[in-house]
Amino acid sequence: MVISLFISSLLEAVKKFVKTVCTSMFRDERGVLEPHADLLSVALAVIGFMVLAALMSQTYLGYEDRSFALENYESASLLAKNLAEAPVLKAETSSLLSAAALDELSGP
C-alpha cells in the first residue's frame, strides 16, 4: 500500500515536471534556432555547387586548350615531314634542308 502511494505520487510529480518543461519549451523564444540551421545548410550546399561548377569549367577549358595545341602540333609535324621529304629543298651533301632553297621559295 505504501509502495503504491509512493509510485502514484512519483508519477504525479513526473507528469507535473514534464508538463512544466514542455510548456516552457514551446513558449521560450530563445530556443528557436531552426531557421538559422537551414540557412547554414543551404549556404554550404551553394558553396559546394559553385566549387563543383568552377572545377568543371576549368577542366573543360584545359581540355579544350590541350586539344587545340595537339591539333597544331600534328599539323606542324606533318608540314615538317613533308618539307623534309621534298627533294628540291635538300642540301647537296646531307639529309638536311638547304637554306638557300628555302630563301628562293620564300620570295623577296
XYZ file of all heavy atoms in Angstrom:
812
model
N 0.812 -1.177 0.000
C 0.000 0.000 0.000
C 0.871 1.263 0.000
O 0.588 2.200 -0.726
C -0.899 -0.073 1.243
C -1.816 1.051 1.345
S -3.272 0.593 0.431
C -4.315 1.853 0.913
N 1.873 1.266 0.826
C 2.768 2.404 0.917
C 3.547 2.551 -0.401
O 3.753 3.662 -0.884
C 3.739 2.221 2.121
C 4.779 3.309 2.148
C 2.976 2.161 3.406
N 3.896 1.430 -0.978
C 4.643 1.459 -2.234
C 3.776 2.011 -3.362
O 4.227 2.817 -4.169
C 5.170 0.050 -2.573
C 6.185 -0.380 -1.530
C 5.785 0.016 -3.953
C 6.678 -1.778 -1.696
N 2.524 1.607 -3.436
C 1.642 2.115 -4.481
C 1.384 3.613 -4.308
O 1.276 4.361 -5.285
C 0.333 1.334 -4.515
O -0.406 1.573 -3.339
N 1.273 4.084 -3.061
C 1.124 5.512 -2.808
C 2.377 6.281 -3.243
O 2.280 7.352 -3.835
C 0.883 5.756 -1.304
C -0.558 5.907 -0.874
C -0.655 5.924 0.638
C -1.184 7.137 -1.449
N 3.521 5.706 -2.957
C 4.792 6.332 -3.351
C 4.918 6.398 -4.877
O 5.301 7.425 -5.442
C 5.965 5.548 -2.751
C 7.303 6.044 -3.182
C 7.796 7.258 -2.707
C 8.071 5.325 -4.081
C 9.030 7.717 -3.106
C 9.300 5.791 -4.491
C 9.790 6.990 -4.002
N 4.558 5.328 -5.568
C 4.636 5.284 -7.039
C 3.658 6.278 -7.647
O 3.992 6.996 -8.606
C 4.395 3.856 -7.553
C 5.564 2.956 -7.146
C 4.214 3.837 -9.059
C 5.376 1.508 -7.484
N 2.438 6.344 -7.116
C 1.464 7.284 -7.678
C 1.894 8.731 -7.452
O 1.743 9.584 -8.332
C 0.072 7.031 -7.100
O 0.062 7.296 -5.715
N 2.446 9.036 -6.279
C 2.922 10.397 -6.051
C 4.132 10.713 -6.930
O 4.292 11.831 -7.413
C 3.255 10.602 -4.566
O 4.364 9.804 -4.203
N 4.970 9.706 -7.157
C 6.116 9.887 -8.049
C 5.652 10.135 -9.482
O 6.184 11.015 -10.177
C 7.029 8.665 -7.970
C 8.317 8.729 -8.762
C 9.214 9.838 -8.213
C 9.036 7.412 -8.707
N 4.656 9.402 -9.931
C 4.103 9.601 -11.282
C 3.486 10.984 -11.427
O 3.637 11.635 -12.459
C 3.081 8.521 -11.619
C 3.643 7.136 -11.937
C 2.510 6.151 -12.125
C 4.504 7.190 -13.173
N 2.803 11.444 -10.426
C 2.208 12.786 -10.455
C 3.294 13.856 -10.520
O 3.179 14.834 -11.263
C 1.325 13.009 -9.220
C 0.034 12.245 -9.205
C -0.889 12.630 -10.339
O -0.977 13.836 -10.678
O -1.519 11.733 -10.904
N 4.359 13.656 -9.778
C 5.469 14.624 -9.801
C 6.143 14.646 -11.177
O 6.477 15.710 -11.715
C 6.488 14.284 -8.714
N 6.312 13.472 -11.788
C 6.925 13.390 -13.121
C 6.024 14.049 -14.152
O 6.489 14.803 -15.018
C 7.235 11.915 -13.486
C 7.596 11.783 -14.949
C 8.342 11.370 -12.606
N 4.719 13.801 -14.086
C 3.777 14.423 -15.030
C 3.813 15.940 -14.910
O 3.817 16.659 -15.911
C 2.353 13.920 -14.778
C 2.079 12.542 -15.271
C 0.622 12.177 -14.987
C 0.333 10.745 -15.294
N -1.049 10.383 -14.975
N 3.839 16.427 -13.675
C 3.874 17.872 -13.443
C 5.173 18.477 -13.993
O 5.169 19.531 -14.635
C 3.745 18.157 -11.942
C 3.581 19.590 -11.598
C 3.354 19.737 -10.110
C 3.183 21.196 -9.759
N 3.019 21.382 -8.318
N 6.294 17.783 -13.776
C 7.581 18.272 -14.268
C 7.612 18.288 -15.804
O 8.044 19.266 -16.417
C 8.713 17.391 -13.722
C 10.057 17.759 -14.246
C 10.703 18.912 -13.807
C 10.688 16.977 -15.204
C 11.949 19.258 -14.297
C 11.929 17.325 -15.708
C 12.568 18.462 -15.249
N 7.150 17.210 -16.445
C 7.136 17.130 -17.912
C 6.230 18.205 -18.486
O 6.562 18.850 -19.480
C 6.713 15.719 -18.368
C 6.426 15.685 -19.854
C 7.783 14.703 -18.009
N 5.072 18.424 -17.868
C 4.151 19.446 -18.351
C 4.780 20.828 -18.243
O 4.685 21.651 -19.160
C 2.851 19.386 -17.552
C 1.777 20.278 -18.070
C 0.495 20.071 -17.303
C -0.590 20.957 -17.845
N -1.829 20.813 -17.100
N 5.483 21.109 -17.157
C 6.148 22.408 -16.978
C 7.264 22.597 -18.006
O 7.402 23.659 -18.604
C 6.733 22.501 -15.556
O 5.711 22.234 -14.629
C 7.324 23.863 -15.302
N 8.037 21.550 -18.212
C 9.147 21.634 -19.171
C 8.619 21.823 -20.582
O 9.134 22.653 -21.351
C 10.052 20.382 -19.077
C 11.015 20.321 -20.235
C 10.795 20.369 -17.764
N 7.588 21.082 -20.961
C 7.045 21.187 -22.323
C 6.442 22.555 -22.589
O 6.649 23.132 -23.656
C 6.002 20.098 -22.561
S 6.724 18.458 -22.736
N 5.689 23.077 -21.623
C 5.091 24.394 -21.850
C 6.155 25.476 -21.901
O 6.073 26.398 -22.712
C 4.053 24.725 -20.766
O 4.665 24.637 -19.489
C 2.862 23.814 -20.853
N 7.181 25.382 -21.072
C 8.234 26.408 -21.116
C 9.081 26.268 -22.381
O 9.588 27.252 -22.903
C 9.105 26.323 -19.864
O 9.850 25.126 -19.865
N 9.203 25.053 -22.886
C 9.993 24.849 -24.102
C 9.294 25.464 -25.316
O 9.936 26.062 -26.169
C 10.222 23.351 -24.333
C 11.102 23.045 -25.535
S 11.517 21.314 -25.678
C 9.936 20.575 -25.936
N 7.982 25.341 -25.381
C 7.265 25.868 -26.535
C 7.029 27.369 -26.455
O 6.813 28.026 -27.453
C 5.926 25.144 -26.718
C 6.091 23.735 -27.189
C 5.585 22.688 -26.449
C 6.773 23.449 -28.353
C 5.730 21.385 -26.875
C 6.921 22.151 -28.790
C 6.401 21.108 -28.037
N 7.069 27.953 -25.267
C 6.839 29.388 -25.119
C 8.129 30.197 -25.057
O 8.088 31.411 -25.122
C 6.019 29.642 -23.858
C 4.613 29.138 -24.000
C 3.805 29.480 -22.818
N 2.474 28.907 -22.969
C 1.594 28.849 -22.015
N 1.885 29.318 -20.826
N 0.422 28.318 -22.220
N 9.252 29.528 -24.941
C 10.533 30.222 -24.822
C 11.042 30.560 -26.226
O 11.280 29.681 -27.034
C 11.539 29.336 -24.097
C 12.821 30.066 -23.773
O 12.852 31.306 -23.917
O 13.784 29.402 -23.357
N 11.186 31.838 -26.526
C 11.622 32.286 -27.845
C 13.133 32.184 -28.033
O 13.634 32.269 -29.138
C 11.184 33.739 -28.091
C 9.697 33.915 -28.188
C 9.123 33.246 -29.416
O 9.804 33.217 -30.449
O 7.985 32.747 -29.336
N 13.889 32.017 -26.967
C 15.340 31.945 -27.092
C 15.796 30.638 -27.739
O 16.876 30.555 -28.271
C 15.995 32.060 -25.719
C 15.788 33.420 -25.084
C 16.355 33.433 -23.707
N 15.639 32.444 -22.890
C 16.045 31.999 -21.717
N 17.160 32.447 -21.197
N 15.338 31.132 -21.035
N 14.986 29.620 -27.700
C 15.381 28.317 -28.226
C 15.065 28.118 -29.695
O 15.284 27.046 -30.221
N 14.551 29.131 -30.378
C 14.166 28.979 -31.779
C 15.378 29.278 -32.655
O 15.692 30.414 -32.942
C 12.990 29.909 -32.137
C 12.598 29.739 -33.586
C 11.828 29.651 -31.228
N 16.091 28.235 -33.055
C 17.283 28.381 -33.898
C 17.171 27.585 -35.194
O 18.113 27.525 -35.953
C 18.525 27.905 -33.140
C 18.923 28.737 -31.928
C 20.096 28.094 -31.232
C 19.290 30.135 -32.343
N 16.080 26.944 -35.427
C 15.964 26.064 -36.587
C 16.130 26.781 -37.931
O 16.807 26.268 -38.796
C 14.633 25.328 -36.534
C 14.524 24.196 -37.522
C 15.550 23.112 -37.287
O 15.917 22.854 -36.133
O 16.000 22.519 -38.265
N 15.555 27.962 -38.180
C 15.765 28.605 -39.485
C 17.231 28.933 -39.754
O 17.692 28.866 -40.878
C 14.933 29.888 -39.407
C 13.921 29.619 -38.370
C 14.569 28.692 -37.393
N 17.996 29.262 -38.702
C 19.408 29.571 -38.906
C 20.192 28.327 -39.303
O 21.127 28.410 -40.078
C 19.987 30.205 -37.638
C 19.292 31.469 -37.262
N 19.323 32.587 -38.051
C 18.525 31.778 -36.185
C 18.606 33.545 -37.483
N 18.113 33.077 -36.346
N 19.825 27.187 -38.789
C 20.490 25.943 -39.174
C 20.208 25.631 -40.651
O 21.089 25.159 -41.370
C 20.031 24.802 -38.284
N 19.012 25.912 -41.108
C 18.687 25.699 -42.518
C 19.492 26.633 -43.412
O 19.936 26.228 -44.477
C 17.193 25.908 -42.769
C 16.350 24.794 -42.183
O 16.917 23.731 -41.876
O 15.132 24.992 -42.035
N 19.664 27.873 -42.986
C 20.451 28.815 -43.779
C 21.887 28.349 -43.923
O 22.484 28.449 -45.000
C 20.412 30.207 -43.144
C 19.091 30.955 -43.254
C 19.182 32.252 -42.473
C 18.755 31.226 -44.692
N 22.451 27.821 -42.863
C 23.818 27.313 -42.917
C 23.922 26.125 -43.869
O 24.855 26.045 -44.683
C 24.284 26.912 -41.522
C 25.704 26.379 -41.412
C 26.700 27.453 -41.842
C 25.987 25.916 -40.014
N 22.948 25.244 -43.821
C 22.954 24.088 -44.722
C 22.830 24.517 -46.175
O 23.524 24.004 -47.050
C 21.803 23.142 -44.369
O 21.940 22.683 -43.059
N 21.950 25.457 -46.444
C 21.772 25.944 -47.813
C 23.028 26.657 -48.293
O 23.462 26.483 -49.439
C 20.532 26.869 -47.904
C 20.472 27.577 -49.237
C 19.273 26.064 -47.668
N 23.653 27.452 -47.425
C 24.887 28.154 -47.808
C 25.990 27.166 -48.135
O 26.715 27.335 -49.130
C 25.325 29.089 -46.682
N 26.139 26.111 -47.346
C 27.160 25.104 -47.635
C 26.862 24.370 -48.941
O 27.784 24.077 -49.717
C 27.252 24.113 -46.477
C 27.896 24.647 -45.205
C 27.810 23.610 -44.089
C 29.339 25.030 -45.454
N 25.599 24.089 -49.206
C 25.243 23.416 -50.456
C 25.541 24.309 -51.657
O 26.059 23.851 -52.676
C 23.763 23.023 -50.431
N 25.236 25.596 -51.559
C 25.501 26.527 -52.668
C 26.997 26.682 -52.892
O 27.469 26.685 -54.037
C 24.830 27.897 -52.397
C 25.306 28.953 -53.366
C 23.323 27.751 -52.469
N 27.761 26.785 -51.804
C 29.218 26.899 -51.950
C 29.785 25.640 -52.602
O 30.635 25.715 -53.497
C 29.865 27.155 -50.572
C 29.533 28.572 -50.105
C 31.375 26.953 -50.621
C 29.927 28.845 -48.673
N 29.318 24.490 -52.199
C 29.766 23.240 -52.814
C 29.433 23.179 -54.290
O 30.248 22.734 -55.110
N 28.232 23.615 -54.649
C 27.844 23.611 -56.056
C 28.704 24.570 -56.875
O 29.109 24.258 -57.995
C 26.364 23.986 -56.197
C 25.895 24.023 -57.613
C 25.719 22.865 -58.330
C 25.659 25.237 -58.233
C 25.305 22.904 -59.652
C 25.243 25.292 -59.552
C 25.059 24.105 -60.262
N 29.007 25.738 -56.316
C 29.837 26.709 -57.037
C 31.263 26.179 -57.234
O 31.861 26.377 -58.296
C 29.861 28.048 -56.289
C 28.520 28.745 -56.257
S 27.814 29.036 -57.874
C 28.944 30.233 -58.516
N 31.803 25.516 -56.227
C 33.147 24.930 -56.357
C 33.130 23.842 -57.426
O 34.044 23.754 -58.258
C 33.636 24.382 -54.998
C 34.869 23.514 -55.152
C 33.913 25.521 -54.048
N 32.093 23.020 -57.440
C 31.976 21.978 -58.460
C 31.877 22.592 -59.856
O 32.533 22.120 -60.794
C 30.755 21.105 -58.179
C 30.486 20.013 -59.213
C 31.571 18.956 -59.164
C 29.123 19.409 -58.997
N 31.081 23.646 -60.013
C 30.944 24.292 -61.319
C 32.270 24.905 -61.769
O 32.633 24.814 -62.954
C 29.853 25.370 -61.254
N 33.017 25.521 -60.847
C 34.314 26.106 -61.196
C 35.298 25.023 -61.622
O 36.031 25.189 -62.611
C 34.872 26.898 -60.010
N 35.311 23.909 -60.910
C 36.214 22.813 -61.288
C 35.856 22.231 -62.651
O 36.743 21.932 -63.465
C 36.172 21.713 -60.224
C 36.878 22.013 -58.917
C 36.627 20.896 -57.914
C 38.365 22.171 -59.144
N 34.568 22.076 -62.913
C 34.141 21.533 -64.205
C 34.511 22.478 -65.346
O 34.968 22.039 -66.403
C 32.631 21.282 -64.200
C 32.201 20.191 -63.261
S 32.721 18.577 -63.768
C 31.590 18.271 -65.091
N 34.334 23.796 -65.145
C 34.659 24.734 -66.220
C 36.162 24.784 -66.456
O 36.609 24.838 -67.605
C 34.105 26.122 -65.909
O 34.966 26.852 -65.089
N 36.972 24.744 -65.391
C 38.424 24.747 -65.567
C 38.887 23.468 -66.258
O 39.801 23.495 -67.085
C 39.126 24.895 -64.208
C 39.005 26.272 -63.621
C 39.648 27.325 -64.512
O 40.705 27.125 -65.073
N 38.975 28.450 -64.655
N 38.274 22.360 -65.948
C 38.620 21.094 -66.604
C 38.294 21.159 -68.084
O 39.100 20.748 -68.930
C 37.859 19.938 -65.937
O 38.177 19.915 -64.554
C 38.222 18.612 -66.558
N 37.134 21.689 -68.421
C 36.751 21.791 -69.829
C 37.677 22.738 -70.585
O 38.107 22.440 -71.696
C 35.300 22.261 -69.952
C 34.884 22.463 -71.389
C 34.660 21.376 -72.214
C 34.749 23.742 -71.921
C 34.297 21.553 -73.539
C 34.392 23.923 -73.244
C 34.162 22.834 -74.043
O 33.825 23.014 -75.349
N 37.996 23.897 -69.996
C 38.871 24.852 -70.668
C 40.273 24.280 -70.854
O 40.901 24.473 -71.911
C 38.930 26.163 -69.884
C 37.647 26.997 -69.896
C 37.786 28.187 -68.966
C 37.301 27.442 -71.293
N 40.772 23.555 -69.872
C 42.080 22.917 -70.003
C 42.083 21.859 -71.092
O 43.033 21.754 -71.878
N 41.017 21.064 -71.166
C 40.915 20.056 -72.215
C 40.854 20.712 -73.594
O 41.493 20.242 -74.544
C 39.664 19.202 -71.982
C 39.362 18.268 -73.114
C 40.109 17.113 -73.298
C 38.341 18.544 -74.020
C 39.843 16.249 -74.343
C 38.067 17.691 -75.066
C 38.820 16.548 -75.232
O 38.559 15.704 -76.266
N 40.106 21.793 -73.705
C 39.983 22.487 -74.985
C 41.336 23.054 -75.435
O 41.709 22.932 -76.615
C 38.952 23.599 -74.865
C 38.634 24.296 -76.165
C 37.583 25.382 -75.990
O 37.156 25.648 -74.854
O 37.207 25.961 -77.012
N 42.076 23.662 -74.510
C 43.394 24.207 -74.842
C 44.360 23.111 -75.273
O 45.109 23.262 -76.241
C 43.984 24.963 -73.655
C 43.252 26.272 -73.380
O 42.536 26.754 -74.292
O 43.394 26.793 -72.263
N 44.352 22.003 -74.553
C 45.272 20.910 -74.898
C 44.926 20.279 -76.235
O 45.816 19.921 -77.006
C 45.268 19.872 -73.787
C 46.001 20.351 -72.562
C 46.144 19.258 -71.524
N 46.798 19.785 -70.346
C 46.193 20.099 -69.219
N 44.889 19.958 -69.121
N 46.864 20.569 -68.199
N 43.646 20.136 -76.530
C 43.272 19.542 -77.820
C 43.626 20.488 -78.968
O 44.057 20.043 -80.033
C 41.782 19.192 -77.847
O 40.994 20.358 -77.762
N 43.493 21.809 -78.755
C 43.882 22.785 -79.777
C 45.389 22.732 -80.014
O 45.856 22.749 -81.158
C 43.451 24.178 -79.335
C 43.774 25.258 -80.323
C 43.083 25.361 -81.525
C 44.770 26.182 -80.061
C 43.382 26.347 -82.435
C 45.081 27.179 -80.959
C 44.386 27.264 -82.153
N 46.175 22.641 -78.929
C 47.630 22.562 -79.067
C 48.033 21.268 -79.761
O 48.964 21.258 -80.584
C 48.297 22.653 -77.700
N 47.348 20.176 -79.484
C 47.657 18.904 -80.134
C 47.363 18.961 -81.622
O 48.143 18.448 -82.437
C 46.861 17.773 -79.475
C 47.119 16.369 -80.008
C 48.580 15.985 -79.778
C 46.199 15.374 -79.360
N 46.260 19.603 -82.006
C 45.956 19.754 -83.434
C 47.039 20.565 -84.133
O 47.481 20.211 -85.232
C 44.602 20.447 -83.611
C 43.408 19.580 -83.311
C 42.107 20.354 -83.445
O 42.117 21.452 -84.033
O 41.093 19.861 -82.946
N 47.474 21.673 -83.524
C 48.539 22.483 -84.124
C 49.849 21.720 -84.199
O 50.594 21.841 -85.174
C 48.734 23.782 -83.334
C 47.588 24.738 -83.551
O 46.821 24.610 -84.502
N 47.450 25.690 -82.658
N 50.156 20.926 -83.168
C 51.385 20.140 -83.179
C 51.358 19.108 -84.299
O 52.349 18.904 -84.994
C 51.576 19.455 -81.825
C 52.769 18.543 -81.789
C 54.051 19.055 -81.674
C 52.612 17.161 -81.893
C 55.153 18.236 -81.651
C 53.702 16.327 -81.875
C 54.976 16.863 -81.752
O 56.063 16.032 -81.744
N 50.207 18.458 -84.480
C 50.099 17.461 -85.547
C 50.237 18.116 -86.923
O 50.891 17.571 -87.815
C 48.776 16.702 -85.442
C 48.724 15.749 -84.267
C 47.358 15.121 -84.088
O 46.397 15.545 -84.778
O 47.251 14.213 -83.257
N 49.642 19.294 -87.094
C 49.768 19.999 -88.377
C 51.213 20.405 -88.638
O 51.724 20.247 -89.752
C 48.885 21.242 -88.401
O 47.536 20.891 -88.249
N 51.885 20.936 -87.628
C 53.278 21.354 -87.791
C 54.176 20.150 -88.052
O 55.106 20.221 -88.870
C 53.749 22.109 -86.552
N 53.903 19.045 -87.396
C 54.700 17.833 -87.607
C 54.520 17.306 -89.032
O 55.494 16.911 -89.685
C 54.287 16.770 -86.587
O 54.950 15.564 -86.836
N 53.296 17.314 -89.535
C 53.037 16.857 -90.899
C 53.712 17.776 -91.919
O 54.314 17.308 -92.893
C 51.528 16.802 -91.147
C 51.080 16.289 -92.506
C 51.510 14.845 -92.702
C 49.580 16.421 -92.657
N 53.650 19.091 -91.673
C 54.298 20.049 -92.573
C 55.810 19.858 -92.566
O 56.449 19.850 -93.633
C 53.932 21.474 -92.160
C 54.531 22.593 -93.004
C 53.999 22.529 -94.431
C 54.240 23.934 -92.389
N 56.403 19.672 -91.405
C 57.852 19.463 -91.325
C 58.258 18.173 -92.003
O 59.295 18.112 -92.680
C 58.288 19.459 -89.865
N 57.456 17.151 -91.858
C 57.763 15.876 -92.507
C 57.706 16.015 -94.027
O 58.578 15.516 -94.745
C 56.773 14.813 -92.027
C 57.039 13.435 -92.548
C 56.026 12.455 -91.980
C 56.253 11.083 -92.575
N 55.252 10.133 -92.098
N 56.691 16.710 -94.536
C 56.583 16.904 -95.988
C 57.727 17.755 -96.525
O 58.252 17.497 -97.610
C 55.246 17.553 -96.344
C 54.093 16.585 -96.186
O 54.279 15.376 -96.162
N 52.898 17.119 -96.038
N 58.121 18.790 -95.778
C 59.252 19.616 -96.212
C 60.558 18.829 -96.196
O 61.403 18.995 -97.085
C 59.393 20.855 -95.324
C 58.364 21.961 -95.537
C 58.566 23.066 -94.518
C 58.450 22.524 -96.945
N 60.739 17.971 -95.225
C 61.974 17.184 -95.128
C 62.064 16.157 -96.242
O 63.162 15.791 -96.656
C 62.047 16.509 -93.772
N 60.922 15.697 -96.733
C 60.931 14.686 -97.794
C 61.015 15.295 -99.194
O 61.251 14.575 -100.163
C 59.680 13.812 -97.683
C 59.682 12.916 -96.461
C 58.377 12.156 -96.300
O 57.438 12.393 -97.088
O 58.293 11.342 -95.373
N 60.842 16.600 -99.322
C 60.885 17.230 -100.661
C 62.326 17.240 -101.177
O 63.231 17.762 -100.525
C 60.339 18.650 -100.578
N 62.560 16.680 -102.351
C 63.933 16.621 -102.880
C 64.461 17.994 -103.303
O 65.667 18.213 -103.344
C 63.826 15.680 -104.070
C 62.400 15.631 -104.434
C 61.615 15.979 -103.213
N 63.596 18.941 -103.600
C 64.031 20.271 -104.028
C 64.718 21.016 -102.894
O 65.642 21.793 -103.120
C 62.806 21.068 -104.535
C 63.174 22.489 -104.889
C 62.135 20.359 -105.683
N 64.293 20.763 -101.659
C 64.808 21.507 -100.507
C 66.027 20.855 -99.852
O 66.572 21.403 -98.902
C 63.711 21.666 -99.461
C 62.459 22.414 -99.913
C 61.431 22.427 -98.816
C 62.812 23.830 -100.334
N 66.464 19.716 -100.319
C 67.575 19.024 -99.686
C 68.891 19.694 -100.033
O 69.087 20.216 -101.119
C 67.622 17.575 -100.153
C 66.423 16.769 -99.763
C 66.805 15.708 -98.816
C 65.543 14.893 -98.535
N 65.563 14.223 -97.354
N 69.819 19.669 -99.080
C 71.188 20.145 -99.342
C 71.915 19.086 -100.162
O 71.520 17.923 -100.197
C 71.895 20.403 -98.023
N 73.025 19.474 -100.779
C 73.712 18.566 -101.693
C 74.399 17.408 -100.975
O 74.475 16.300 -101.504
C 74.781 19.336 -102.501
C 74.236 20.386 -103.438
C 74.003 21.712 -102.739
O 74.617 21.981 -101.684
O 73.178 22.485 -103.243
N 74.891 17.633 -99.771
C 75.729 16.607 -99.153
C 75.051 15.800 -98.056
O 75.530 14.739 -97.708
C 76.980 17.276 -98.531
O 76.544 18.230 -97.573
C 77.827 17.917 -99.592
N 73.963 16.251 -97.483
C 73.371 15.513 -96.357
C 71.852 15.505 -96.465
O 71.269 15.974 -97.438
C 73.808 16.162 -95.046
O 73.241 17.447 -94.952
N 71.242 14.998 -95.424
C 69.773 14.941 -95.404
C 69.166 16.184 -94.755
O 68.000 16.182 -94.403
C 69.322 13.693 -94.653
O 69.751 13.752 -93.313
N 69.952 17.246 -94.637
C 69.454 18.497 -94.076
C 68.774 19.332 -95.150
O 68.979 19.135 -96.343
C 70.611 19.282 -93.459
C 71.351 18.612 -92.301
C 72.528 19.477 -91.882
C 70.421 18.383 -91.140
N 67.970 20.298 -94.724
C 67.315 21.205 -95.665
C 68.293 22.306 -96.069
O 69.098 22.772 -95.282
C 66.075 21.839 -95.033
C 64.903 20.880 -94.717
C 63.801 21.652 -94.025
C 64.397 20.195 -95.950
N 68.176 22.723 -97.285
C 69.041 23.772 -97.805
C 68.422 25.133 -97.510
O 67.281 25.422 -97.862
C 69.216 23.605 -99.308
O 69.843 24.718 -99.852
N 69.198 25.998 -96.848
C 68.713 27.330 -96.514
C 68.549 28.165 -97.768
O 67.629 28.980 -97.877
C 69.675 28.024 -95.542
N 69.404 27.979 -98.746
C 69.303 28.726 -99.994
C 68.022 28.373 -100.742
O 67.342 29.240 -101.303
C 70.531 28.450 -100.870
N 67.656 27.088 -100.740
C 66.428 26.668 -101.418
C 65.192 27.245 -100.699
O 64.225 27.649 -101.340
C 66.354 25.149 -101.473
N 65.243 27.279 -99.390
C 64.127 27.876 -98.631
C 64.008 29.374 -98.904
O 62.898 29.908 -99.009
C 64.299 27.642 -97.135
C 64.036 26.206 -96.661
C 64.388 26.061 -95.190
C 62.584 25.822 -96.888
N 65.154 30.070 -99.052
C 65.126 31.501 -99.361
C 64.551 31.756 -100.729
O 63.833 32.729 -100.949
C 66.537 32.096 -99.255
C 66.980 32.264 -97.813
O 66.088 32.252 -96.930
O 68.191 32.364 -97.565
N 64.849 30.895 -101.707
C 64.309 31.061 -103.058
C 62.788 30.879 -103.056
O 62.082 31.580 -103.800
C 64.953 30.039 -103.999
C 66.394 30.355 -104.343
C 67.007 29.284 -105.228
O 66.247 28.463 -105.781
O 68.235 29.276 -105.339
N 62.297 29.964 -102.246
C 60.843 29.724 -102.200
C 60.102 30.845 -101.491
O 58.960 31.137 -101.808
C 60.547 28.397 -101.484
C 60.843 27.125 -102.250
C 60.572 25.930 -101.378
C 60.006 27.062 -103.514
N 60.729 31.472 -100.515
C 60.042 32.490 -99.731
C 59.855 33.791 -100.503
O 58.994 34.595 -100.163
C 60.778 32.747 -98.428
O 62.025 33.343 -98.698
N 60.650 34.043 -101.504
C 60.497 35.253 -102.307
C 61.267 36.412 -101.694
O 62.028 36.260 -100.759
N 61.041 37.604 -102.245
C 61.819 38.766 -101.771
C 61.377 39.203 -100.392
O 60.253 39.107 -100.026
C 61.540 39.836 -102.814
C 60.304 39.422 -103.515
C 60.175 37.943 -103.361
